[in-house]
Structure formats: structure tokens, C-alpha cells
Amino acid sequence: MKRWIDINDRSAIAAIRRLARRYASGLNLPETRLDALAIVVTEAATNILRHAGRGRALIEVIEGAGVRKIALVFADHGPGITDMDRMMQDGYSSMPDSSGLGLGSIRRLSDTFDIYSTPGEGTTITCSFASEDDPPYADTLALDGLRVCYPGANVCGDDMMVRPGAGHTDMLLCDGLGHGSLAAKASAEIVEIARHLHLAPAETIAHLSREMVGHRGAVAAMARIDHATGQLDYSGLGNITTLCLGPETHKRLAVRDGRIGGAPTRGFNEQVMLNPGDLVILHSDGLKTLGDRDLPPALLARSPMLICGHLLDRAFRGRDDASILVMRWLGRAAA
């Protein structure tokens, strides 16, 4: 769906529940998992109404690179949670007409669950239901990505690729020129070509720049993480932001001005050595420029999916498509 859905009255709960079941049905989840999904949506949306008065949800089906799942984000700007332990107790619910199961049930019923809450600023919850086993890179890195359409649009002009390889994983994020269906077509074309190249980031961006001359085009960045060493190879052309974040360092990788579709050129290329636990974030300009205030240590300690969902809520400009990929290198090669 890739659109924020407002939660401002009880009718929104039923609407989001129906949408979640509809999108999840394409994943061939058993009926018991669809029922669990409905409970999770009901509890999360009900908690937003009870504690914050209003908020919003994002539903996205993610398929590819060994991943088939439905991801859910629930976000509000309410008072936050001061007693997390109590709220996480299975069976605790703060709203009389909910199903009485609370946040503990959301964690228990979901395949993945994470929560980030700051007193006085609000809460973000992410969870997912999957129909596939863990992706092939799961022992080496944690990786998730989400997209949001331009407000009112039905398709997203941003696109992304995650591709496991022999000892490495590639990530590409691109933003089609403008927004809407033509932008979506342009970015999908770039992803499709890149998917079959199997080249390093610098060669991939250069090849795309040559191949796509005269097309509508896009800006793009690609990163390859070596599973064993943690070396990040990167190339970027245009205004995709790429950040490398660790306990001591916040590094913003440079980009070369231009776009794929214009005159043939090469992206800006760089190599960075990551330490175990370091994060790499790629995002389009549908998100505002992220500073230290947007990236507190407590948020960066959460899962990549939670970081994606929180930043798509808090940093979304609301005047373009937006996309974000977040990867954490775990510091050990896959067996």
C-alpha cells in the first residue's frame, strides 16, 4: 500500500484490519496467522487512540531476496510510555473495549516486534508476519527497508533492491524523477537493470548512467557490504543520502551531482570499514536531512525495521515519495 493511514477514530481500526488481512492473504499465511494479524492491528491501533488520541499506520508487503512478509508500523506523537514493563505484560490493556491483550500480545503474536517510546514525544511500534524463513544474510547482517508514496498517490516513485551474493549483500535505492506512475516506472526500470548486472557499486552506477541516457531517469546510490570484513563499497549519483553510524562516528558519504538519464557519468565512490553493530542508512530526499537530534543512540539501538518506521514518520517531508533502507552489520560472516 505504501501510504500512511490516519488513526483518528474507531472506524479506522476496522479499516486498517481489513487492509492488513487483504494484503497478507497474498502471502499464503494460514488462517490462524491472519487471525493473529487482526488481533495485532486491533491492539496497536486501539492503544494509539487511547494514549495519544490520534496517530497513523503503514502497511507494506515486502517480497524479494528470500523475504516474504507483511510489515506494520504504528506511530503516534502522544505522551509516550513511562512504564514499559507494565505495558508489555501479556494481558494488560489500558482500554476497556479492546480485546484485553495489550502490547505483550502484539510481541507474542508477531514474528518480529519492536517498540521505541520517548516520554512526551510518542511511540513507534513495528511488527511483521512472514511466510518465508530468514533471508540468506540473516547471520551476518540485519536489513529492512520501507517506502511511502507522495500524499494522495497510489504508486511510489522510489524503489529499492536487496541482493545477496557470494560473501556480500548489495543494496540499491533510487528515486525516480518527480513522483507518481512515471517516476515509479523510471525507478523500476533502473532496479530491473541493476538486478541482472552483478557488478560492484561503482560499475553498476556507471553502467546505468550509460544505459539510461535520454530516459526519464532517477538518482541512485548503491552499497555492497562484505560479510566477512565489514567493508562497505559505495557509489552514489544524485541526492540519495547515505549515512554510516557507529558509537563514535556519524559519517555522511558524499554524492556526485547529476542523475541517471542525463549525460553519462560516474557516481562518487568510497570505501568504509564498518565495526560490528554499525548502521548504514540510505534514504531519498522525501525525508528531511537527518541530524544528530533525529538519530539518538536509543533509536539507533533498535531494529532496522523500527528505525525505518520511526524516521518515515518523524522525518517525512510530505511533499514527495520517501524511501529508506537500514542495515546493521553484525560482525561475523555467515557459515
Side-chain angles (χ1 to χ4, degrees), residues 7 39 45 54 57 80 91-92 119 161 182 201 204 220 228 238 242 295 308 318 325 328 330:
I7 302 173
I39 293 171
R54 62 183 298 115
Y92 178 80
M161 175 192 77
L182 293 178
T204 297
T242 302
L295 302 165
C308 286
L325 273 167
R328 174 179 285 113
L330 302 180

Side-chain angles (χ1 to χ4, degrees), residues 11-329:
S11 65
I13 299 175
I16 296 170
R17 187 168 56 229
R18 286 193 299 270
L19 283 171
R21 285 189 67 110
R22 182 195 309 167
Y23 288 114
S25 64
L27 298 175
N28 298 319
L29 294 173
E31 192 65 28
T32 54
R33 299 303 292 147
L34 294 177
D35 290 342
L37 173 64
I39 293 171
V40 164
V41 170
T42 300
E43 286 299 314
T46 297
N47 278 327
I48 284 178
L49 287 177
R50 175 65 177 90
H51 292 287
R54 62 183 298 115
R56 53 186 180 176
L58 179 66
I59 306 170
E60 184 164 354
V61 173
I62 300 171
E63 298 185 86
V67 176
R68 296 186 75 235
K69 66 183 179 183
I70 183 167
L72 306 167
V73 181
F74 297 90
D76 68 65
H77 294 208
I81 299 173
T82 56
D83 190 347
M84 186 66 73
D85 289 341
R86 183 185 182 201
M87 286 294 293
M88 291 305 302
Q89 290 175 10
D90 214 20
Y92 178 80
S93 178
S94 58
M95 192 163 184
D97 53 351
S98 79
S99 56
L101 299 176
L103 290 179
S105 70
I106 299 176
R107 177 172 59 182
R108 177 171 50 81
L109 293 172
S110 304
D111 291 328
T112 67
F113 168 87
D114 205 359
I115 184 169
Y116 177 72
S117 189
T118 305
E121 296 184 11
T123 301
T124 304
I125 294 172
T126 59
C127 52
S128 69
F129 291 75
S131 64
E132 297 281 351
D133 294 331
D134 289 336
Y137 49 75
D139 289 339
T140 306
L141 53 92
L143 172 62
D144 266 305
L146 292 171
R147 296 181 287 163
V148 173
C149 295
Y150 174 81
N154 294 317
V155 293
C156 185
D158 292 5
D159 209 341
M160 60 182 67
M161 175 192 77
V162 175
R163 181 179 58 201
H168 65 262
T169 295
D170 294 332
M171 303 170 287
L172 182 143
L173 190 68
C174 64
D175 178 358
L177 186 64
H179 53 80
S181 60
L182 293 178
K185 181 179 178 182
S187 59
E189 187 176 16
I190 287 170
V191 166
E192 184 63 19
I193 295 173
R195 196 183 306 279
H196 294 93
L197 287 179
H198 297 284
L199 299 174
E203 287 74 23
T204 297
I205 296 297
H207 180 97
L208 290 168
S209 179
R210 294 191 303 269
E211 282 290 305
M212 302 295 291
V213 172
H215 289 234
R216 182 183 180 91
V219 296
M222 182 175 173
R224 170 175 289 181
I225 176 70
D226 185 287
H227 292 178
T229 66
Q231 177 171 300
L232 185 81
D233 289 330
Y234 156 83
S235 184
L237 182 60
N239 58 345
I240 297 292
T241 296
T242 302
L243 304 170
C244 295
L245 307 173
E248 306 296 332
T249 305
H250 284 202
K251 180 178 177 64
R252 187 179 303 270
L253 303 188
V255 297
R256 177 159 290 153
D257 289 341
R259 65 179 178 89
I260 296 169
T265 187
R266 300 182 66 86
F268 181 87
N269 308 318
E270 192 168 355
Q271 287 76 44
V272 177
M273 294 302 300
L274 301 179
N275 294 310
D278 283 358
L279 289 167
V280 177
I281 299 178
L282 291 81
H283 72 81
S284 70
D285 67 349
L287 297 186
K288 71 176 186 178
T289 300
L290 300 175
D292 289 347
R293 179 179 174 82
D294 305 298
L295 302 165
L299 173 64
L300 298 183
R302 309 314 306 172
S303 66
M305 177 64 74
L306 192 286
I307 297 170
C308 286
H310 184 79
L311 292 177
L312 274 182
D313 172 57
R314 299 304 175 104
F316 184 40
R317 294 182 187 272
R319 56 177 185 264
D320 198 357
D321 305 300
S323 55
I324 181 169
L325 273 167
V326 177
M327 184 278 292
R328 174 179 285 113
W329 183 53

